Amino acid sequence: MLPTLVIRSSSIHAAGCYTTRTLRKGTRVCEYEGPRMTKEVADARYAERFVTYLFGYGEDDMVIDGFGTPMFFNHSCNPNCESEEVDGHIYISTLRAIKPGEELTYEYNLFDSDDATADCDCGAPNCRKTMFSPLELKRRARLERAKAKAAARQAAD
């Protein structure tokens, strides 16, 4: 039996996805579906759009432009679900048992975004205050250090 999901207001961000029945750990809740395209095509298509629901997958800079139920799964630094890629499909599955009425969340682990901060307001005790992945945060810190070094060298010349 598939989970019963509802969309309603969220204390994390706008609307969220909630379950109406108990979900066991490891339950595959839904698939992130939609048109597939390269990141380059998506960047051009949505250059003027403030909100997108793009999900990167694979190794070839591909994204899914998802406008289904998973677009209502909010980010949390203490998620109860996770995304998993299986043969080019993206599924959202539970990390633990989830009670009826709980909002379903997963870590977005954003990367390669034009956003300066991608602020997180999940409210979790361990909130990182950003939706960027730890790897992306390290990459950005390296870039900032390199820029600072280059600026210092240029100022010294």
Side-chain angles (χ1 to χ4, degrees), residues 26-137:
T27 300
R28 191 174 278 172
V29 181
C30 59
E31 182 175 357
Y32 205 98
E33 297 178 293
R36 293 160 183 263
M37 63 194 80
T38 64
K39 185 179 178 319
E40 182 180 2
V41 167
D43 286 347
R45 181 176 290 177
Y46 300 119
E48 301 302 317
R49 234 157 121 199
F50 179 69
V51 176
T52 61
Y53 297 96
L54 302 173
F55 197 109
Y57 71 97
E59 301 294 323
D60 299 323
D61 275 346
M62 295 296 292
V63 297
I64 298 171
D65 183 4
F67 275 98
T69 302
M71 74 185 232
F72 293 103
F73 282 51
N74 282 315
H75 165 86
S76 176
C77 295
N78 187 25
N80 54 19
C81 294
E82 66 181 341
S83 61
E84 58 180 332
E85 182 177 345
V86 179
D87 297 326
H89 294 270
I90 304 299
Y91 299 102
I92 309 296
S93 301
T94 59
L95 287 168
R96 61 169 175 78
I98 301 174
K99 296 176 184 173
E102 275 191 74
E103 182 173 2
L104 303 175
T105 61
Y106 68 97
E107 278 198 71
Y108 285 3
N109 286 316
L110 297 180
F111 64 95
D112 191 23
S113 172
D114 294 335
D115 289 343
T117 59
D119 294 338
C120 174
D121 297 313
C122 72
N126 63 327
C127 182
R128 295 188 319 268
K129 303 296 181 201
T130 183
M131 292 183 281
F132 284 127
S133 71
L135 216 60
E136 176 66 5
L137 293 173

